[in-house]
Amino acid sequence: MLSPRVLRTLSEATYVFLVLITVVATGLSCAALLSQAVRTSPAQSWTNNFNTLMIGASYIVVFAVSLSFCIKRRVAVRLKLQRISKTYRTIGRDDLHDTVHKYVSQEFIRACLISYESLPKNVYHEGWGRPGTKYSGIQFRGALLDTIPHIDGLAHVVIPLHPKLKPHARMLHHFRFLNPLLSKDEDGISPLHYYDSAIQLARNSARVLTEEEFEIGMNAAYQIEKSLNDCRLEMLESDSATQLNDQSPK
């Protein structure tokens, strides 16, 4: 499929070619008629040859009329283009007839209704939150993996010497220094173990996360963040108390 620019170039080249052919053919016919008029005259010369005068005058008139039509057409097109406003202006109701405005409004409302009715409803994609739930529009894998940098940042606030995060490190190994800060459930398992399992599924599993697995991972991430925030607040309170004690008069 040719581009619009190539098509425009071909159109202009074809127009110029046809104009040249027309000019050449007209010139040749004029020359042939003038030559015949000279050969058929009694004196066989240009002087006092009425036929050559009529032929030449006819061609000149045809050329002048054709040129005037071309100029008139060009000027008319230029004037029409100049009447078109080059500034953006919103078309209001006063710019249209009532019937046109009513028709446009009806078509607009009809298009909006069709678009609304065409929206997918009750569509569920694996690995994404179901429409109408609190997880609607959330990709489970991406949302869960996005919690890693946030938890790592909090861990560095609480433990400044915490190791740097490696791309494929196990959460259970990377956050091992946080284990003493985390509470454990009745089975003796800390939120870090649940979080590590969910992250491993999100990273390496061939299938996508289910909503239940996503909830387990996000709940574990929330508990880890909550424990870190509590530790950070305790550190701030301890620093404030220490500063007050240092500033108090002895």
Side-chain angles (χ1 to χ4, degrees):
M1 188 66 180
L2 298 177
S3 63
R5 185 175 181 180
V6 175
L7 291 174
R8 181 179 178 182
T9 303
L10 291 176
S11 177
E12 292 177 352
T14 304
Y15 176 76
V16 172
F17 179 70
L18 292 176
V19 170
L20 290 176
I21 289 180
T22 304
V23 171
V24 171
T26 304
L28 291 176
S29 65
C30 180
L33 290 175
L34 290 174
S35 175
Q36 183 179 3
V38 171
R39 284 187 285 103
T40 57
S41 65
Q44 293 187 351
S45 66
W46 294 88
T47 57
N48 298 326
N49 195 330
F50 182 75
N51 291 332
T52 57
L53 179 63
M54 293 300 297
I55 293 172
S58 300
Y59 273 92
I60 291 174
V61 171
V62 171
F63 175 76
V65 172
S66 302
L67 186 62
S68 65
F69 272 111
C70 293
I71 295 175
K72 180 181 178 182
R73 178 64 178 172
R74 188 64 180 268
V75 171
V77 171
R78 179 64 62 86
L79 291 176
K80 288 183 179 179
L81 291 176
Q82 288 179 351
R83 294 194 192 103
I84 300 175
S85 177
K86 295 180 175 61
T87 59
Y88 177 79
R89 186 173 67 89
T90 305
I91 297 177
R93 183 166 185 174
D94 296 336
D95 299 324
L96 303 173
H97 294 289
D98 291 339
T99 54
V100 176
H101 182 270
K102 183 178 179 182
Y103 176 76
V104 172
S105 300
Q106 289 177 349
E107 288 299 313
F108 176 74
I109 295 172
R110 177 174 172 270
C112 292
L113 290 174
I114 292 174
S115 300
Y116 176 76
E117 292 296 332
S118 301
L119 291 175
K121 297 178 178 63
N122 299 326
V123 177
Y124 171 70
H125 297 283
E126 292 185 354
W128 288 78
R130 291 174 295 176
T133 64
K134 60 181 180 179
Y135 301 127
S136 177
I138 297 178
Q139 185 192 19
F140 295 154
R141 180 178 181 274
L144 186 59
L145 294 178
D146 287 342
T147 60
I148 298 176
H150 183 63
I151 296 177
D152 184 66
L154 290 176
H156 279 280
V157 172
V158 176
I159 307 176
L161 298 179
H162 191 273
K164 293 183 178 180
L165 179 64
K166 297 180 181 180
H168 302 289
R170 288 282 302 267
M171 298 296 100
L172 198 60
H173 175 73
H174 178 68
F175 294 121
R176 60 189 181 276
F177 299 110
L178 304 181
N179 240 337
L181 306 176
L182 303 176
S183 60
K184 297 181 180 180
D185 59 10
E186 55 186 11
D187 296 326
I189 301 176
S190 67
L192 184 58
H193 289 79
Y194 292 106
Y195 185 67
D196 176 72
S197 300
I199 292 296
Q200 286 298 105
L201 285 174
R203 282 178 171 177
N204 306 317
S205 178
R207 62 175 179 82
V208 295
L209 288 175
T210 63
E211 185 173 332
E212 182 181 0
E213 293 168 345
F214 175 71
E215 286 182 344
I216 293 174
M218 292 301 292
N219 289 333
Y222 171 75
Q223 293 178 21
I224 295 172
E225 291 177 4
K226 184 177 181 300
S227 299
L228 291 174
N229 284 323
D230 292 342
C231 292
R232 183 170 62 87
L233 292 176
E234 290 180 2
M235 292 170 59
L236 292 175
E237 292 176 358
S238 177
D239 292 341
S240 300
T242 303
Q243 291 177 1
L244 290 175
N245 292 330
D246 293 339
Q247 294 175 3
S248 61
K250 296 181 180 180

